[in-house]
Amino acid sequence: MLNDDRPFAQRVTRLVRGIPYGKVASYGDVAMLAGSPRAARGVGAVLSALPEESDVPWWRVVNGTGRISIRNIGGRMQRMLLEQEGIRFTSGERIDLTLYRWRPRTDMES
DNA sequence: GGGCTGACAGCCT
DNA sequence: GAGGCTGCCAGCC
């Protein structure tokens, strides 16, 4: 319906770019919004290919367990950026998705 | 054109 | 409740 002609990468990029400040989304959520609920890995692959000049908040995307799956320095940077946005990490470097999970359709709902 | 890797998610032990 | 294995999708060699 929307931009179906464009590659998944473009679609995922657009979705991630729509994540508000102080909010986080899981790869599965982005994948579902992108049209493929099972393409969680694809989302990670797309984000990994994002250029530094890109304005896509890739750090706002974490795995379904609220944990950072990155093993390189990127993971540490992601944690720093998330904390900088007000997101609090619990023991084990885990995030409370119950409080910070982004809801594109129920965000205005209380 | 085919095969391997990877920033995941879900189910089983 | 925690840890490990399998399955699916997209991207790159």
Side-chain angles (χ1 to χ4, degrees), chain A residues 20-81:
Chain A
Y21 180 93
K23 290 282 185 175
V24 296
S26 63
Y27 294 92
D29 283 1
V30 177
M32 193 202 303
L33 293 171
S36 297
R38 308 297 176 193
R41 291 180 116 164
V43 176
V46 172
L47 296 178
S48 63
L50 285 174
E52 299 174 357
E53 61 183 21
S54 199
D55 57 346
V56 180
W58 57 269
W59 56 85
R60 289 178 190 161
V61 184
V62 295
N63 59 10
T65 62
R67 185 84 147 76
I68 298 175
S69 302
I70 308 175
R71 314 168 192 265
N72 289 344
I73 187 171
R76 189 170 57 180
M77 181 163 61
Q78 180 175 14
R79 204 233 286 213
M80 185 182 70
L81 289 166

Side-chain angles (χ1 to χ4, degrees), chain A residues 2 61 67 93 110:
Chain A
L2 295 180
V61 184
R67 185 84 147 76
E93 302 178 26
S110 36

